[in-house]
């Protein structure tokens, strides 16, 4: 077993005893498999993040008061309210089971990729890191739309005072020196 990185197209006992890769094409296919597994891991990470955002947005729409604080005056409405609470509880349980399943898959893939990298084969590390980069590039569009598409609020402009030589001709504004010539920022038209 190697204790430092090496580059070789021959790997013995990969993950399990008897799984040997001895050809170049076998190494290429193994690296492509690790790369695709890394892309899938990034996809699961984004899917879990999107599900959490969805659950938080739905949770904000529900009431925080208990049934005693919002008890209706008509009995038939209280029966409907109990039925709705049971439906909501069932949805939460199914959602939690889905989150748990996605977490287990994400964790398993992560440990498999970690074991591949810990074999100290440089090709495996390049494949895992490259796949993570490709996966982030592909799936980050779903996770960070505000930052990537420019819908986030722009930062306020920083105003630096100018010297006395560059005063605005009508108002004496010192910040006019920062704007292009002919534009003072306070007049609707050019000065």
């Amino acid at each position: 077993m190697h204790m430092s990185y090496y580059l070789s197209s021959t790997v013995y006992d990969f993950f399990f005893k008897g799984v040997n890769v001895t050809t170049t094409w076998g190494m290429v296919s193994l690296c492509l498999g690790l790369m695709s597994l890394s892309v899938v891991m990034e996809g699961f990470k984004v899917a879990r993040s999107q599900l959490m955002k969805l659950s938080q947005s739905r949770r904000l729409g529900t009431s925080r008061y208990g049934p005693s604080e919002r008890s209706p005056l008509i009995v038939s409405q209280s029966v409907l309210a109990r039925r709705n609470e049971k439906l909501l509880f069932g949805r939460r349980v199914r959602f939690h089971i889905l989150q748990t399943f996605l977490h287990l898959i994400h964790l398993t893939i992560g440990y498999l990729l970690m074991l591949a990298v810990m074999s100290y084969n440089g090709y495996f590390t390049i494949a895992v890191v490259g796949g993570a980069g490709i996966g982030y590039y592909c799936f980050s569009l779903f996770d960070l739309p505000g930052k990537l598409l420019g819908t986030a609020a722009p930062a306020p402009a920083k105003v630096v005072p100018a010297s006395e030589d560059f005063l605005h001709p009508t108002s004496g504004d010192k910040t006019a020196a920062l704007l292009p010539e002919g534009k003072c920022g306070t007049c609707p038209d050019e000065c």
Side-chain angles (χ1 to χ4, degrees), residues 119-138:
S119 69
Y120 291 110
N121 189 324
Y123 295 131
F124 293 165
T125 302
I126 292 169
V128 169
V129 171
I134 291 170
Y136 180 80
Y137 178 77
C138 293

Side-chain angles (χ1 to χ4, degrees), residues 107-174:
L107 191 70
T108 303
I109 292 173
Y111 277 128
L112 288 174
L113 291 174
M114 180 198 63
L115 284 173
V117 169
M118 291 305 294
S119 69
Y120 291 110
N121 189 324
Y123 295 131
F124 293 165
T125 302
I126 292 169
V128 169
V129 171
I134 291 170
Y136 180 80
Y137 178 77
C138 293
F139 293 113
S140 67
L141 288 172
F142 300 110
D143 199 27
L144 304 169
K147 290 182 181 176
L148 293 177
L149 299 177
T151 57
K158 184 177 178 182
V159 177
V160 179
S163 66
E164 294 290 331
D165 299 336
F166 296 102
L167 294 177
H168 184 270
T170 58
S171 67
D173 185 12
K174 292 182 179 182

Side-chain angles (χ1 to χ4, degrees):
M1 177 159 183
H2 294 276
M3 293 309 231
S4 62
Y5 275 99
Y6 68 99
L7 297 173
S8 174
S9 62
T10 305
V11 177
Y12 295 104
D13 296 332
F14 182 71
F15 285 157
F16 300 105
K17 188 172 182 173
V19 179
N20 302 324
V21 178
T22 56
T23 64
T24 304
W25 288 109
M27 178 59 84
V28 168
S29 63
L30 185 59
C31 286
L32 287 175
L34 288 172
M35 187 179 284
S36 63
L37 199 60
S38 188
V39 168
V40 167
M41 183 175 164
E42 288 292 320
F44 272 110
K45 184 172 67 171
V46 170
R48 287 181 60 217
S49 170
Q50 289 296 321
L51 281 175
M52 288 303 291
K53 287 179 186 176
L54 180 68
S55 86
Q56 289 174 355
S57 69
R58 284 187 179 173
R59 201 173 291 159
L60 293 176
T62 60
S63 175
R64 294 183 179 183
Y65 300 110
S68 63
E69 295 173 340
R70 58 186 166 110
S71 60
L73 297 175
I74 302 174
V75 177
S76 64
Q77 287 181 348
S78 80
V79 171
L80 289 174
R82 279 190 235 136
R83 196 174 294 158
N84 285 339
E85 287 177 11
K86 287 181 182 179
L87 286 173
L88 285 175
F89 180 74
R91 286 181 185 169
R92 286 182 188 150
V93 168
R94 283 191 300 249
F95 182 77
H96 187 66
I97 289 171
L98 177 64
Q99 280 285 351
T100 303
F101 180 70
L102 287 176
H103 176 73
L104 288 174
I105 291 174
H106 185 255
L107 191 70
T108 303
I109 292 173
Y111 277 128
L112 288 174
L113 291 174
M114 180 198 63
L115 284 173
V117 169
M118 291 305 294
S119 69
Y120 291 110
N121 189 324
Y123 295 131
F124 293 165
T125 302
I126 292 169
V128 169
V129 171
I134 291 170
Y136 180 80
Y137 178 77
C138 293
F139 293 113
S140 67
L141 288 172
F142 300 110
D143 199 27
L144 304 169
K147 290 182 181 176
L148 293 177
L149 299 177
T151 57
K158 184 177 178 182
V159 177
V160 179
S163 66
E164 294 290 331
D165 299 336
F166 296 102
L167 294 177
H168 184 270
T170 58
S171 67
D173 185 12
K174 292 182 179 182
T175 60
L178 300 176
L179 300 170
E181 190 172 326
K183 301 272 186 185
C184 68
T186 58
C187 300
D189 296 326
E190 293 183 294
C191 296

